[in-house]
Amino acid sequence: KERAYDVALGAAHLADRPIDNRTSLVGRVLQTGRPHHLANLARAFFPAERALPNGEKLGALALPVRGRGRNVGVLFVCGPRDLLGEGELKLTQGLADALGALIERTRQDAAFTAERLALKTLMDHLPDAVLEQESDGRISAGGGLVEGILGRPLGDLLGLRLAEVLVAADRPRFEWHCAGV
């Protein structure tokens, strides 16, 4: 009989539904968000998954991979029956949780990169010169007609303070305006 293993509670209990071709072990974990441990795959849907060539029975573990409190996938481990004890189950769940956090971080990084690309595209097509500065006042990015208006390529301006880009006569007024902000 299938055993569902709840790593959070650290207790094994019997599941009331057998695995069938409508609800796979992985599908059940995605639906319930709970880990499942099947000690014996003798009833597996695919005959090749029921035992090793030497006749040794296989077991399986399916763990939810969570990111930001939601299921983003399933980590499926299959091996000789009784391969995974309680300690290994907890360790594997930790691995699944770390994998979920990594997947979510990758998604966030991709979204951030897409936003930065959209902003750069917008800035590059502006009819003005636009400079972005860091909190220390150094220019970190720019776009639009920087070279046409300021007479210098953007690459030459990166890392400079904005006041250094202005002509000497405009610097005191600029610094006065910045001090009042």
Side-chain angles (χ1 to χ4, degrees):
K1 200 163 194 185
E2 172 191 359
R3 286 185 4 213
Y5 193 86
D6 189 335
V7 176
L9 298 175
H13 60 283
L14 295 177
D16 55 359
R17 295 177 305 184
I19 299 296
D20 56 31
N21 61 356
R22 291 175 311 210
T23 309
S24 68
L25 190 61
V26 171
R28 189 170 302 166
V29 171
L30 282 173
Q31 290 172 4
T32 66
R34 293 185 47 219
H36 284 280
H37 179 221
L38 193 61
N40 186 351
L41 285 179
R43 294 177 292 127
F45 186 67
F46 298 105
E49 295 177 354
R50 294 180 185 161
L52 293 171
N54 64 2
E56 187 175 5
K57 299 294 184 205
L58 291 173
L61 175 66
L63 299 165
V65 176
R66 298 180 187 104
R68 304 186 96 196
R70 63 186 181 92
N71 289 337
V72 295
V74 174
L75 177 63
F76 183 79
V77 180
C78 178
R81 186 174 170 178
D82 298 326
L83 173 71
L84 301 171
E86 187 172 331
E88 289 83 7
L89 293 172
K90 288 180 181 180
L91 179 65
T92 307
Q93 182 64 64
L95 175 64
D97 291 342
L99 181 60
L102 181 61
I103 288 170
E104 282 301 316
R105 176 62 189 257
T106 301
R107 285 180 179 169
Q108 289 174 348
D109 289 349
F112 178 74
T113 300
E115 288 174 15
R116 291 294 295 174
L117 181 60
L119 179 62
K120 181 172 179 2
T121 300
L122 174 68
M123 287 178 58
D124 286 346
H125 292 90
L126 290 174
D128 298 313
V130 178
L131 297 172
E132 180 180 323
Q133 67 182 26
E134 297 294 329
S135 59
D136 66 356
R138 297 192 183 278
I139 298 169
S140 60
L145 302 175
V146 171
E147 188 168 357
I149 292 173
L150 298 176
R152 296 168 70 181
L154 177 61
D156 291 353
L157 304 176
L158 297 177
L160 298 178
R161 296 192 183 281
L162 194 53
E164 297 174 75
V165 175
L166 302 174
V167 293
D170 291 336
R171 287 181 190 160
R173 195 168 109 213
F174 172 77
E175 289 171 353
W176 178 79
H177 279 290
C178 289
V181 172

